[in-house]
Amino acid sequence: MSTAADEMTEEGHGVQQGKERALTDSSDPSAWFALMRREHPVVREEQFGMWQVFRYEDVAKGLSDPATFSSDARGQMAALPDFHPFTQGNFMMMDPPAHRRVRSLVSSAFTPRAVAQLAPRITAVAKELLDALDGAEEFDFIAAFAHPIPVIVLADLLGLPREDSRHLLTWAKVLTGVDVEAAPPGAAGAQAPPDPMASLREMNGYLREHIARRRATPADDLLGRLVGAEQDGERLTDDEIVGVASLLLIAGHLMVTMLLANLMLCLDEHPRSLAGLRADDMAVSSTIEEVLRYRNPADRQLRYTTREVEIAGQTIPAGERVLFWTGSANRDEARFEQPEKFDIHRRPNPHMGFGHGVHFCLGAPLGRLEATIALRLVLDRFADFKVADGVEYFGSYSLIKKLPMKVRWC
C-alpha cells in the first residue's frame, strides 16, 4: 500500500524535453513551473507514462470537466480487499452522478453553520496542546500541534469517543506516512515500520463497530446522519460509510496538518509578513489564503482521459493519465500579479489550494476555521519563533514530515 503522502509525491516527477527535473527534494519548484508554463505547458512525461499540464487556464478547464477527465481510480485498487470500503465511499475517486450522490449526503456536516459550531471545540483542543508545550524552547510543531488538531476535531465531528483519538492518530500516522514517533532506520531500538494494511483493517473494523451502534441507537453526529441519510429511496451501505469516514480522517487531516506547517514555514521565511500580521489581525484570513496559493500541499491532481481531447494544441488520447499541476497554476503570471511574491494582503486570490471543480475540497470551510483559530492562538502565545535545523519532507516542497521550531513564549 502506498501512503497518502506517497501518492502525492510519486506521480509526475517531470521530464522537460530530455532534461530531467525530479521533484523529490525540498527545493522550491517555482522556477521549474515557470519554465514548463513558458516552454512546455502540456507535455507527455515518458518515464511515468503520463501527461502534465501547467497553466492556470488549462488546469482549471481540465478539472472542471469530469466527463473528459475522470477521477475514478477505484478499479486499480480492486485487487486489494482491505481497500474495498475506502473505494466504495471515497467520493474523491468518483465521477458524477455517483460522486454527487455520496457527497451530497456528507455535505450537511460542512455547512457554514455546522462548521461554526465546531469553533469552541477547535479552540479548546488547540489551547490544550499549547498548554502541554508551555515553556518548551524547541519541539516538533507537527507532532506536538499541527497533526493532533485535525484528527481530534474530525473524531468529534464523526461522533467517535474522544478517548479513542489516540488510536485514530496512530492509524492516521501510519496510513499517511507521518509516523512522527518512529526511530530512524538503523537507530538503537529501531523497530520494523508499522504495517499500513494491518492499520487499515483495524480502522475498518473500528468504524464498522460504531456504524453498527448508530444503526441500533441513532445519534446526532456525522456517523449517525450518514447511517440515517436517504436519497431517492437509497441509503449508504456500511462499506460506503466506512469509506467516507476514512477519507475524512486520512485525507482531511493531512491537508490541515500541512496547511498549519506551511503557515509557519512561510511566516518564518518572510519576517516582514509576520510583523505585518501581528500588527493587523484582520490579515489572518488573507494570510491563510496566500499560503494555500504560495505553498500548497495538494499541488497536483491526477485524472484519466475518457476520450481524445486537445489541450493547448496537444492531442491527448483516451485512456491516458493526466497530471494537472495546481501548484504551477497558483504561480501563473497570466492569472496572478507578481506570483512569486508572498503577499498576505493579496486580493483577489483565486488559488486552487483546495482543488477546483466538482472535487473542490468539501472540508475547506473546516480547514480554514482550524487554521484561523490555530494561527491566532500561536501568534498570541509565541512572542517569537524560528524554524530550526532538521526539517524533514515527504519528498516535496510543501509536504513536511517534521518541523522543528525554537520558540520564545509570551
Side-chain angles (χ1 to χ4, degrees), residues 154-202:
L154 285 167
D156 276 6
L157 179 66
L158 288 163
L160 302 174
R162 292 179 181 176
E163 58 269 24
D164 289 350
S165 293
R166 66 185 187 278
H167 300 306
L168 298 171
L169 191 59
T170 298
W171 292 327
K173 289 176 184 177
V174 174
L175 293 170
T176 60
V178 189
D179 192 3
V180 294
E181 296 172 355
Q191 299 178 352
D195 178 8
M197 298 307 289
S199 294
L200 188 61
R201 285 192 293 273
E202 290 174 6

Side-chain angles (χ1 to χ4, degrees), residues 48 116 275 311:
F48 291 90
I311 308 179

